[in-house]
Amino acid sequence: MAHINEFVEKISDILVKQKALSDQQAIDLKKGFKDVSPINFEAYLLESSQVSKASLLKALSTYYKLPAFDVSGYLFEHDLLRQLPKDVMLRNNCIPVEVDQDILVVVASEPSDDLAVTLERFLKNDIQFNVGLAQDIKNAVEEFYDEAPTEDPSEDPYYREEEETERIEKILDTEDKKDLL
C-alpha cells in the first residue's frame, strides 16, 4: 500500500510542478485515491480529463526517470511481439517496440527490476525500459493478437495459451534453480 500511496503523491506533485494540475486538484486526488493501483489512478486521470495524455506521460517519465513512449498508433514489428507470450505482456503491461544496438526497448506501465527478470526468461537481448500508459499498452497487445474471423489461433506457431506459458515458466524456474546448484 505504501508504494501505491507514494505513487499517487509523487505523480500528483509532478503534475502540479508541470502545471498540469492545480494545487487543489492535487490535494483532492491525494485524498480520494488512497490505496488505488497506479493503473487505476492513471485511468482516472485520463478518463476524467484531469490531465492530458502528454502531461501524464511526461509525469510518468519524471517519476520513473525513463523516457516516455506513446504506443498508440505505433506499428509494432511482428517478430518482436512474438518473442513474448501475450499473457505475459498483458499481465505485466509491457510491449517490446524496437531493437537498438542489441538492446531491446520495452515499454512498460510499471518498469522494474522484477519485470526485467521476468522478461529475460523469454528474451535474448538486454532490456531497456521506456514508460507508457497501461491501457494503451493493453490495447496494442490486444490489437496485435486480434483474430481475423476465419483465423484459428491454434494454427499460429507462436500462439500460446496462458496455461502453456505457465508451464514454460515452471520449466524455466526449474532450470534456473539447477543452474544455481
Side-chain angles (χ1 to χ4, degrees):
M1 294 295 175
H3 167 71
I4 293 169
N5 291 332
E6 174 187 327
F7 178 82
V8 171
E9 290 270 336
K10 288 190 176 184
I11 290 293
S12 298
D13 292 345
I14 291 167
L15 289 166
V16 168
K17 286 179 187 170
Q18 294 175 351
K19 301 194 185 317
L21 285 180
S22 69
D23 288 329
Q24 188 58 51
Q25 286 174 309
I27 290 167
D28 294 343
L29 285 172
K30 291 174 191 178
K31 285 180 187 175
F33 280 90
K34 296 234 183 270
D35 305 328
V36 170
S37 78
I39 293 169
N40 291 339
F41 183 62
E42 174 186 299
Y44 170 78
L45 288 172
L46 293 173
E47 288 171 9
S48 68
S49 300
Q50 294 269 351
V51 298
S52 69
K53 183 178 191 178
S55 294
L56 183 53
L57 280 167
K58 185 176 176 185
L60 290 169
S61 177
T62 301
Y63 178 78
Y64 286 107
K65 297 177 178 72
L66 294 170
F69 192 101
D70 185 357
V71 300
S72 294
Y74 185 79
L75 294 175
F76 294 92
E77 293 181 37
H78 287 241
D79 292 340
L80 289 180
L81 268 71
R82 299 283 188 196
Q83 291 182 27
L84 288 172
K86 175 183 178 183
D87 63 295
V88 169
M89 290 187 281
L90 290 174
R91 221 177 327 144
N92 295 288
N93 290 309
C94 66
I95 190 166
V97 291
E98 66 184 3
V99 176
D100 184 17
Q101 299 177 357
D102 291 332
I103 296 174
L104 179 63
V105 177
V106 175
V107 178
S109 65
E110 294 183 67
S112 68
D113 291 339
D114 290 341
L115 178 56
V117 169
T118 298
L119 298 181
E120 286 169 354
R121 299 167 133 180
F122 300 97
L123 304 170
K124 296 174 184 154
N125 301 72
D126 289 333
I127 298 169
Q128 175 188 326
F129 283 116
N130 285 4
V131 65
L133 301 175
Q135 189 60 50
D136 289 349
I137 293 168
K138 179 181 182 247
N139 290 344
V141 172
E142 292 287 355
E143 182 179 306
F144 177 79
Y145 280 98
D146 270 351
E147 298 173 27
T150 59
E151 183 179 11
D152 180 0
S154 64
E155 293 175 9
D156 181 347
Y158 296 103
Y159 179 82
R160 292 190 191 123
E161 293 289 340
E162 187 170 343
E163 296 81 21
E164 176 68 5
T165 302
E166 289 172 3
R167 186 184 71 73
I168 292 169
E169 287 176 332
K170 286 179 186 175
I171 291 169
L172 291 170
D173 280 342
T174 304
E175 289 175 1
D176 289 346
K177 289 176 186 173
K178 286 180 186 176
D179 288 345
L180 291 175
L181 298 176

